Amino acid sequence: QLYNVAVLGATGAVGTKMLETLDKKNFPIKDLLLLSSKRSAGAEMEFQGKKYTVQEATPESFENIDIALFSAGGGVSKQLAPEAVKRGAVVVDNTSAYRMDPEVPLVVPEVNEEDIKSHNGIIANPNCSTIQMVAALKPIRDLFGMSRVIVSTYQAVSGAGNEALDELRAQSEAFLQGEDLKAELLPVTGEKKYYPIAFNALPQIDVFQENGYTFEEMKMINETKKIMHDDTVQVAATCVRLPFFTSHAESVYVEVDKSGVTVEQLKEAISNAEGVVLEDDPENQVYPTPLSAAGKPDVFVGRIRKDLDNDKGFHLWVVSDNLLKGAAWNSVQIAESLIKNNWLQK
Ligand code: 11C
């Protein structure tokens, strides 16, 4: 069976990866509709050798659509996802608009695929930095339990979209020419202050909340609890933007419930997990990096060490392509699961 698929935000950093992923997975598409905001409408794109003109998304765009992949910002999702659902489409939403809505499943298929079943037309794709962390923690938690996570992130500029990538390029060139750096976008569009990202590190991703954490940090905290169905797990996060293009890296400290667990047991658990690849051989300097993970759909884990003071504590280094497993790949996996399990009907 073939399905009518719409990609909203088709020209964006994630949208283009959605098309690449649909192609790579040979997704069963009958008709493909590429949608965007008014600004990008009219753009020409190619998919599997065929040319498409990107159309401005309206509520009527979703007539006859079976599956709609949304990645055009939270405001657009709030406005158009209910319209798409009203017209019979199932929406996989890659924005933060519905993630914490109790009626909307928040899914990383390797972790909580069954949650998709209870959807009411919308399934939320978690934040990229959350996805790779929970994918790496799932096999550990399943075998040894998990009481606490402390994460610090090293996040790529592509998480902030194509314009941020342009800003990094321009600033890097200016820096190397000894010119003044123009900062107009990062850390957050519309904020009071901008800082250069080139040759820098910005400890702010998204806006600050009243509790002093940024929204990105709160996403990691709240989404982890929701995906794992466990409000008691303690999570703390510090999210930092660094000047590279693709893949987020994370230093993750995890406390398991069981005593006496060994590094070897953790390595075995990770090796056996779906979608997670162990790259951990310190003797031969083997560990993942943002460059080595870029373009690949898996989550890579290395540098596994036991804490020197806490028998239940472990440190891991987790890296994944933020636009693939962190966004497009995970969304298309959800769409595949809807089909495979016959869960498209609400
Ligand atoms: C970043 N994690 O790297 C963000 C991008 O909630 O889907 C993804 C934002 C989101 O800036």
Side-chain angles (χ1 to χ4, degrees):
Q1 199 181 338
L2 300 175
Y3 300 87
N4 291 336
V5 176
V7 176
L8 172 54
T11 57
V14 173
T16 49
K17 294 290 167 188
M18 281 180 170
L19 294 176
E20 271 178 44
T21 305
L22 289 168
D23 178 34
K24 200 163 194 171
K25 285 175 164 285
N26 213 4
F27 198 85
I29 297 175
K30 189 157 122 211
D31 285 324
L32 178 67
L33 183 62
L34 302 189
L35 300 169
S36 72
S37 62
K38 199 176 193 151
R39 195 161 54 99
S40 306
E44 297 281 331
M45 296 185 83
E46 217 180 276
F47 180 75
Q48 298 185 333
K50 206 174 140 189
K51 285 212 160 42
Y52 290 82
T53 304
V54 179
Q55 296 175 29
E56 182 186 347
T58 64
E60 292 71 36
S61 308
F62 299 96
E63 298 285 354
N64 296 319
I65 293 295
D66 301 306
I67 299 171
L69 305 176
F70 274 44
S71 191
V76 177
S77 290
K78 276 271 180 236
Q79 192 200 338
L80 288 178
E83 298 291 343
V85 173
K86 223 194 285 176
R87 290 167 173 81
V90 175
V91 174
V92 182
D93 183 34
N94 192 47
T95 76
S96 59
Y98 293 96
R99 287 183 189 144
M100 296 315 296
D101 183 331
E103 300 298 311
V104 174
L106 180 66
V107 177
V108 179
E110 291 85 350
V111 181
N112 61 334
E113 183 177 17
E114 281 286 315
D115 288 354
I116 297 175
K117 201 174 168 176
S118 63
H119 76 84
N120 292 309
I122 303 176
I123 299 128
N125 194 76
N127 181 37
C128 38
S129 42
T130 313
I131 293 179
Q132 66 183 68
M133 182 174 80
V134 297
L137 291 176
K138 146 94 179 165
I140 298 171
R141 180 171 181 256
D142 280 356
L143 288 174
F144 313 116
M146 191 181 95
S147 56
R148 171 167 221 185
V149 182
I150 301 172
V151 57
S152 296
T153 69
Y154 306 70
Q155 295 184 223
V157 168
S158 55
N162 283 333
E163 288 170 358
L165 291 175
D166 292 340
E167 183 168 90
L168 171 58
R169 262 186 222 106
Q171 286 177 357
S172 301
E173 279 164 18
F175 187 93
L176 294 173
Q177 300 295 330
E179 293 165 10
D180 288 342
L181 305 191
K182 244 198 309 179
E184 294 174 332
L185 215 84
L186 290 172
V188 184
T189 320
E191 269 279 57
K192 290 191 270 310
K193 273 189 181 172
Y194 299 106
Y195 292 101
I197 182 65
F199 301 91
N200 209 356
L202 305 181
Q204 181 188 0
I205 299 183
D206 220 317
V207 291
F208 281 100
Q209 312 291 287
E210 267 179 17
N211 63 7
Y213 286 76
T214 62
F215 189 42
E216 180 82 355
E217 289 160 354
M218 290 314 297
K219 284 190 238 176
M220 292 195 80
I221 294 165
N222 294 329
E223 293 176 17
T224 297
K225 293 173 197 253
K226 177 166 174 177
I227 295 163
M228 294 189 162
H229 298 278
D230 185 358
D231 277 340
T232 69
V233 59
Q234 298 172 7
V235 188
T238 303
C239 292
V240 179
R241 184 86 66 199
L242 288 177
F244 46 82
F245 289 148
T246 313
S247 303
H248 292 342
E250 299 175 347
S251 166
V252 181
Y253 170 75
V254 54
E255 274 172 28
V256 298
D257 292 335
K258 275 194 188 164
S259 318
V261 176
T262 64
V263 166
E264 280 316 310
Q265 284 177 297
L266 245 67
K267 285 187 178 179
E268 198 185 332
I270 300 247
S271 306
N272 293 334
E274 222 185 301
V276 187
V277 177
L278 182 73
E279 283 189 352
D280 193 1
D281 180 6
E283 237 177 78
N284 292 304
Q285 282 181 280
V286 173
Y287 41 75
T289 66
L291 277 183
S292 69
K296 297 177 187 153
D298 300 304
V299 174
F300 298 89
V301 182
R303 301 287 332 271
I304 303 180
R305 288 149 289 152
K306 190 157 190 160
D307 190 79
L308 297 178
D309 296 304
N310 185 345
D311 170 60
K312 295 179 178 173
F314 291 88
H315 300 269
L316 336 170
W317 174 246
V318 181
V319 188
S320 189
D321 188 321
N322 54 310
L323 301 178
L324 288 178
K325 184 58 188 166
W329 190 270
N330 198 73
S331 290
V332 177
Q333 277 182 307
I334 293 171
E336 286 181 320
S337 176
L338 282 164
I339 294 172
K340 179 185 76 194
N341 294 299
N342 245 329
W343 289 338
L344 265 176
Q345 298 311 322
K346 285 141 251 172

